[in-house]
Amino acid sequence: MTKTAELLPGTLDMLILKAVSLKPLHGYGVLVRIRQISGDALEIPQGSLYPALYRLEHHALIAAEWGQSENNRRAKYYTLTAGGRRRLRDETAGWNRLASAIAAALNTTSEEV
Amino acid sequence: MFKRLRSLFRVLTRRREFEDGITEELRFHIDQYADELVRSGMSPGKAARLARVELGSLTNIKGDCREAFGVHLFDEFQRELSYAARLLRKTPGFTATALLTLAVCFGANLTIFAVIDSVLLRPLPFPEPGRLMTIFNTYPKAGVDRDGASLTNYYERRGHLPALASLAIYNYGGDYR
């Protein structure tokens, strides 16, 4: 089994937006997709997934619609809205800036100081 | 902000649908996860149990979902209201006194305001109402202090009283005063 990482606070929303941006998904699909695109490295705490989805829907970053699942059951599908796409772009840029800054700081050697 | 209010309003007007939606969505989640566990070789009973446990308390999740939309505030408000109504019903004496006090206060305020409004706030419907006056005929020997004027009086006085810019006569009840 691969080692799974703890989610940093605030990153769940970003990951949900990313997962939903690839293809409309139901709640369980979001979970599976995040696991898949993170190479099984990220495990979403299941209990916090739905409140996060509802929060994003309430802020009009994702839109929900009932549809048919692969096994012909009624399921609520989430799609990214225009606002959600903008938010995802901003958060991705912000995250990359933060990650490269921290990486640069941690890679500093004593000669460079 | 406006979008969020609209989304809250939509949920409040279709509350049943919202609640059923969460329940159905969570049940779907549990079933999907249990199916996946069964496909990976787990016994159906154990899979269903594990799927339930991993999702956690449904009551908590539903509460968090309601909170995400702000609906919980209305639930609490409703609870407070029904609690207040129950308390009032349990103490009819206090309720009656309180209601009566309120009614008397409202009544007194309305009356006072109506008087102030008509007497002080609303000006008379004439220009320079401060210069307006009424003339009465007096007959001291007959003991009549204030009597109306006749049409003849009016024509005699009109244009002949330098103190008055203009003069008019009015009547009510059929005879001239």
Side-chain angles (χ1 to χ4, degrees):
Chain A
M1 198 180 169
T2 39
K3 230 177 160 183
T4 57
E6 285 277 308
L7 270 190
L8 285 173
T11 49
L12 176 59
D13 288 8
M14 188 163 65
L15 288 169
I16 293 175
L17 290 177
K18 179 65 194 176
V20 168
S21 77
L22 301 169
K23 188 178 161 223
L25 293 169
H26 49 64
Y28 185 70
V30 171
L31 208 67
V32 173
R33 180 54 52 82
I34 292 177
R35 208 190 296 151
Q36 179 216 337
I37 58 181
S38 70
D40 283 340
L42 294 177
E43 193 64 55
I44 307 296
Q46 297 196 9
S48 51
L49 172 69
Y50 287 93
L53 282 170
Y54 275 68
R55 203 166 49 242
L56 292 171
E57 185 191 344
H58 185 53
H59 287 78
L61 298 174
I62 58 178
E65 206 175 333
W66 288 91
Q68 289 281 326
S69 74
E70 315 86 61
N71 53 1
N72 272 330
R73 276 187 57 176
R74 223 165 83 86
K76 202 169 163 195
Y77 279 88
Y78 295 95
T79 48
L80 204 64
T81 63
R85 197 168 300 281
R86 239 183 345 262
R87 172 68 66 89
L88 177 60
R89 204 170 44 230
D90 292 351
E91 291 214 4
T92 308
W95 175 261
N96 285 336
R97 259 200 312 280
L98 178 70
S100 52
I102 291 179
L106 293 180
N107 284 330
T108 313
T109 55
S110 57
E111 293 92 74
E112 291 174 88
V113 179
Chain B
M1 180 67 200
F2 189 65
K3 266 186 198 158
R4 255 170 280 169
L5 275 179
R6 212 167 45 194
S7 131
L8 170 62
F9 184 73
R10 209 176 46 234
V11 168
L12 285 175
T13 48
R14 296 184 209 144
R15 195 57 204 280
R16 212 33 293 140
E17 213 175 290
F18 180 75
E19 296 294 323
D20 292 348
I22 305 181
T23 309
E24 190 172 355
E25 198 174 7
L26 294 179
R27 196 180 309 127
F28 177 80
H29 178 104
I30 292 168
D31 292 350
Q32 288 291 106
Y33 188 36
D35 282 355
E36 191 191 301
L37 290 175
V38 168
R39 271 201 301 280
S40 66
M42 198 177 278
S43 77
K46 198 175 166 208
R49 216 162 35 244
L50 189 66
R52 279 281 287 103
V53 169
E54 273 214 38
L55 189 57
S57 151
L58 294 188
T59 317
N60 285 354
I61 294 178
K62 285 181 184 176
D64 289 347
C65 288
R66 283 186 208 110
E67 211 166 308
F69 274 80
V71 210
H72 65 299
L73 295 174
F74 291 82
D75 293 347
E76 275 160 31
F77 184 59
Q78 212 168 9
R79 265 198 299 280
E80 292 290 335
L81 272 187
S82 71
Y83 175 64
R86 214 162 43 238
L87 269 188
L88 288 176
R89 260 201 311 277
K90 262 176 75 178
T91 50
F94 169 77
T95 308
T97 315
L99 278 181
L100 203 71
T101 311
L102 279 176
V104 167
C105 288
F106 278 130
N109 268 298
L110 280 174
T111 313
I112 291 172
F113 179 74
V115 170
I116 289 179
D117 182 49
S118 60
V119 173
L120 295 179
L121 298 181
R122 258 181 237 274
L124 289 167
F126 302 104
E128 301 180 68
R131 292 180 59 195
L132 214 58
M133 58 183 64
T134 310
I135 300 176
F136 294 99
N137 286 8
T138 49
Y139 307 102
K141 284 180 183 158
V144 177
D145 195 26
R146 291 181 164 194
D147 198 10
S150 68
L151 256 185
T152 325
N153 290 155
Y154 167 65
Y155 284 120
E156 279 167 3
R157 288 168 191 166
R158 195 173 67 168
H160 297 106
L161 294 178
L164 302 178
S166 72
L167 193 68
I169 190 167
Y170 66 92
N171 82 324
Y172 52 83
D175 53 2
Y176 293 99
R177 280 165 196 256

